[in-house]
Amino acid sequence: MSTPTDADADPAAGVGGTGATATGPLLETRDLRVHFPLRKRGRRGKSGVVKAVDGVDLRVDPGETLGLVGESGCGKSTLGSAVMGVRPEARGEVRYRSGQGRVLDAAAVSGADLAAYRREVRMVFQDPHASLNPRMTLLDIIGEPLRVLLGVGGSELEDRVTAILRRVGLRPDHLRRYPHAFSGGERQRVSIARALVCEPRLVVADEAVSALDVSVRSQILNLLQDLQDDMGLTYLFISHDLSVVEHLCDRVAVMYLGRVVETGPTADIYADPRHPYTEALISAVPIPDPRMRGSRERIRLRGELPDPADPPAGCPFHTRCAYATDRCANEAPPLREVAPGRLAACHYAEELTLSGVS
Ligand SMILES: Nc1ncnc2c1ncn2[C@@H]1O[C@H](COP(=O)(O)OP(=O)(O)OP(=O)(O)O)[C@@H](O)[C@H]1O
Ligand code: SF4
Ligand SMILES: [Mg+2]
C-alpha cells in the first residue's frame, strides 16, 4: 500500500478547505527531487549531492494561498524554481492544470504549452533591487512579458502596462522612469506588476515581502490579497516569516532538509502542530499582545541544521528533536494523514502534546 500524501489527498473531500473544486488541484508535485551535484565530495566523502528537495508531494488548490515555510537552506526556493520549470536538475513530476484544462508537466512542456505555462505561472522575487534591470524603464520591465509571451506591442502594450501600474498603486507618469527612482516598496509593486501583466493564474512569491520595512510590508501584503480577490489568483507563498504566513495563507507546508514534514490548514497548524519541528518554528512567532508575552516559551532547537549533503538517517529531524527515541534514529517516518486534512511525518504525531499559538 502506498503512503497517503498531500498529493494523494482527495481535493473533493475538502482537504485544506479552500478552493478545492471538482477539477482538482491547480498544481501538484509528485516525488519532486532536486539534487545538486557537489563540486567537492561531501563530508566523510559520503553522498556527493545536496538533496535540496528530496521527494516532495504537494498540492495547491485553485484560489488558495499555500505557505511554504522552513529554516534557511531547507529547499523552499529550489522547490519554487522547480515549479517554475527552470531547474534542469528536477526529477519527479510538477503537474499544472492549465487554463484550458490540460495537465502540463513543468519539466516537459514545449511549444504552445510552454508559452501557456510561462504566461500562467509567474514569479515574484524577494529583492526587487536585484531582479529589476536598472537600465530599463518601467514600461520595458513590465511590458517585456507581454511583448515576449503574447506578442503585444505599440499602444496596446502601453495601455496594458498603464492599467496594471494603476492596479498596483503606481502612477501612469512613472512609465518612462527607471527603477532607481523608486523606494523598495514601489519597486516591489513593479515586480508584482511584471508578474501579473499577462494575467497569470498561479503566482510563486519567493520571500516577496521579506526585504521590506514592517509598514511597507503590510501594504504589499494587502495589495497581494486584493489582487488575489480581483484576479482569482492562486499563490504559492514562500517565506521564512511565520507571522506573515499566519496572516496570509489558507494552508501551510513545513519543510525540513528538502522534505515536507507537515501540511494542513493554517489555523490548525498554528493552534495544534503535529510535528515537533513545526512546534519549534511557531514557538518563535512574536506575540503581539504584550500582556500575553511570557505565556509561551520559545523552543530552541539543539545544534545546527545538518548538512543537506549528509542528512541524518532515520527521521531527518532526530538530531535536534526533543522527543526523539531510538526508533527515530533508525526508521524514517513517512508523511501520513494524522487528522482530516492534516499530514505529518512523525512516528508520534498522535501521541505527543505539542504547543501551538492560540
Ligand atoms: N544551484 C545550486 N547548486 C548547489 N546547491 C544549491 C543550489 N541552490 C541551492 N542549493 C543548496 O540547496 C539547499 C536549499 O537551498 P534553497 O535556496 O532552496 O533554500 P531556502 O529554503 O530557499 O533558503 P533561504 O530561506 O535561505 O532562501 C541549500 O543547501 C543550498 O545551499
Ligand atoms: S519521528 Fe521522532 S525525531 Fe522525528 S519528529 Fe517525530 S519524535 Fe522527533
Ligand atoms: Mg530561498
Side-chain angles (χ1 to χ4, degrees):
M1 202 185 81
S2 67
T3 307
T5 66
D6 200 33
D8 288 333
D10 176 9
V15 176
T18 58
T21 67
T23 56
L26 186 64
L27 183 88
E28 254 184 309
T29 69
R30 293 188 179 176
D31 193 23
L32 181 62
R33 281 161 285 130
V34 184
H35 294 180
F36 294 114
L38 275 179
R39 266 186 224 105
K40 280 184 258 159
R41 306 261 323 146
R43 257 196 286 145
R44 284 180 270 139
K46 254 196 152 179
S47 82
V49 290
V50 175
K51 296 179 178 178
V53 175
D54 197 25
V56 167
D57 296 302
L58 208 59
R59 63 159 228 281
V60 189
D61 290 327
E64 79 169 343
T65 300
L66 177 71
L68 190 61
V69 304
E71 277 166 291
S72 183
C74 71
K76 305 180 295 295
S77 295
T78 305
L79 192 148
S81 59
V83 166
M84 297 305 298
V86 296
R87 271 273 70 105
E89 304 88 349
R91 299 290 177 271
E93 288 179 76
V94 176
R95 295 158 62 87
Y96 165 72
R97 190 180 295 274
S98 78
Q100 294 192 319
R102 287 161 52 73
V103 175
L104 310 177
D105 183 342
V109 278
S110 58
D113 284 342
L114 180 61
Y117 202 94
R118 294 271 173 269
R119 199 174 64 242
E120 294 183 17
V121 184
R122 305 284 303 167
M123 187 144 191
V124 177
F125 296 95
Q126 168 171 9
D127 184 0
H129 206 60
S131 59
L132 301 180
N133 186 331
R135 282 178 289 278
M136 285 166 75
T137 64
L138 297 206
L139 176 63
D140 293 334
I141 290 170
I142 300 168
E144 189 177 52
L146 274 179
R147 201 166 43 73
V148 174
L149 298 170
L150 293 173
V152 175
S155 61
E156 187 191 344
L157 183 95
E158 197 160 323
D159 290 349
R160 288 181 67 171
V161 174
T162 304
I164 196 76
L165 264 187
R166 280 209 178 92
R167 188 61 202 81
V168 301
L170 295 170
R171 295 204 312 268
D173 59 294
H174 290 154
L175 215 52
R176 291 195 164 71
R177 295 204 194 159
Y178 293 86
H180 67 77
F182 297 92
S183 67
E186 287 167 332
R187 280 198 293 263
Q188 198 54 296
R189 289 175 195 267
V190 175
S191 294
I192 292 169
R194 180 179 157 94
L196 299 190
V197 73
C198 292
E199 302 186 348
R201 299 170 71 236
L202 175 65
V203 175
V204 177
D206 190 354
E207 305 284 2
V209 296
S210 304
L212 304 174
D213 292 343
V214 176
S215 59
V216 181
R217 186 178 302 172
S218 54
Q219 290 168 15
I220 299 293
L221 288 172
N222 288 339
L223 175 67
L224 287 171
Q225 278 179 314
D226 289 347
L227 292 165
Q228 180 172 43
D229 294 344
D230 290 357
M231 300 174 74
L233 298 169
T234 303
Y235 289 144
L236 175 58
F237 190 83
I238 297 171
S239 179
H240 67 272
D241 186 332
L242 276 282
S243 307
V244 167
V245 167
E246 184 178 17
H247 173 73
L248 192 78
C249 299
D250 302 300
R251 284 195 309 133
V252 180
V254 182
M255 278 185 85
Y256 187 74
L257 282 181
R259 297 162 197 220
V260 170
V261 297
E262 179 159 12
T263 67
T266 307
D268 297 354
I269 294 244
Y270 280 69
D272 175 28
R274 296 298 177 91
H275 193 286
Y277 181 59
T278 314
E279 181 192 44
L281 285 185
I282 62 181
S283 79
V285 175
I287 300 175
D289 183 347
R291 288 166 304 177
M292 298 298 288
R293 284 179 202 149
S295 63
R296 172 156 52 89
E297 234 180 88
R298 177 168 181 174
I299 299 168
R300 295 196 184 276
L301 289 175
R302 290 186 278 166
E304 296 292 306
L305 188 70
D307 180 357
D310 189 14
C315 174
F317 188 54
H318 86 263
T319 53
R320 301 169 83 194
C321 181
Y323 310 96
T325 65
D326 289 348
R327 183 185 176 195
C328 303
N330 298 307
E331 196 185 319
L335 186 67
R336 61 196 173 82
E337 186 161 37
V338 294
R342 304 282 310 269
L343 305 179
C346 171
H347 295 307
Y348 307 110
E350 290 87 349
E351 290 129 73
L352 293 173
T353 307
L354 304 179
S355 305
V357 287
S358 50

